[in-house]
């Protein structure tokens, strides 16, 4: 089985490193991006199977990045992360094709389970 690819998009370095380590240990080929431009370059170059995408990123926000990911690679699975109860944004993200969302601080085991379940499909 070919390694599944996971892209982590978050402007917070600590969260990127944590998730990078967690999903690396799960056996995924893991990439990280601090902003929308980096994220979209990785989507084009590496075609990740799943993207963990923070809603609040300076510059291009999570919804804009999600729209662009879906234009480039419509089948890419996306899980959103949000720090606030942004229900309107979460609803919009779901309409744009996000599978689910986690509110920070998230439970790493729940997130790991969600990613494993999505990539097992």
């Amino acid at each position: 089985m070919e390694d599944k690819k996971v892209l982590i998009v978050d402007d917070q370095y600590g969260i990127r490193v944590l998730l990078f380590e967690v999903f690396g240990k799960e056996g995924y080929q893991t990439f990280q991006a601090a902003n929308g431009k980096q994220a979209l370059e990785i989507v084009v170059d590496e075609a990740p199977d799943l993207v963990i995408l923070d809603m609040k990123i300076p510059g291009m926000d999570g919804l804009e990045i999600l729209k662009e990911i879906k234009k480039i690679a419509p089948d890419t699975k996306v899980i959103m992360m949000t720090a606030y109860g942004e229900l309107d944004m979460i609803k919009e993200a779901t309409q744009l094709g996000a599978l689910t969302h986690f509110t920070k601080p998230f439970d790493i085991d729940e997130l790991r389970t969600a990613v494993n379940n999505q990539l097992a499909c």
Side-chain angles (χ1 to χ4, degrees):
M1 183 178 109
E2 182 191 345
D3 278 352
K4 297 276 187 174
K5 296 179 180 180
V6 175
L7 168 59
I8 297 140
V9 187
D10 198 309
D11 61 315
Q12 290 178 276
Y13 177 74
I15 289 177
R16 284 201 316 274
V17 169
L18 170 70
L19 296 178
F20 186 81
E21 287 180 7
V22 166
F23 292 112
K25 283 183 186 146
E26 290 291 302
Y28 300 120
Q29 194 178 345
T30 311
F31 303 89
Q32 46 180 317
N35 58 51
K37 184 175 180 295
Q38 286 178 353
L40 296 175
E41 285 170 4
I42 293 169
V43 169
V44 169
D45 294 344
E46 299 292 343
D49 299 284
L50 185 140
V51 179
I52 300 169
L53 177 57
D54 190 36
M55 191 79 84
K56 286 285 186 192
I57 294 180
M60 190 187 281
D61 73 18
L63 290 175
E64 291 174 277
I65 297 168
L66 175 60
K67 284 178 193 166
E68 292 302 315
I69 289 171
K70 288 296 184 179
K71 276 186 204 163
I72 297 164
D75 295 336
T76 305
K77 297 178 176 188
V78 180
I79 292 175
M80 303 299 292
M81 291 187 297
T82 172
Y84 321 96
E86 301 147 331
L87 290 175
D88 51 337
M89 287 179 81
I90 289 164
K91 188 175 167 196
E92 189 176 345
T94 306
Q95 289 166 344
L96 290 169
L99 298 164
T100 187
H101 73 278
F102 284 82
T103 306
K104 294 178 181 175
F106 48 83
D107 180 318
I108 195 69
D109 290 321
E110 285 181 18
L111 183 58
R112 182 193 290 128
T113 300
V115 168
N116 287 337
N117 289 345
Q118 289 298 338
L119 291 178
C121 301

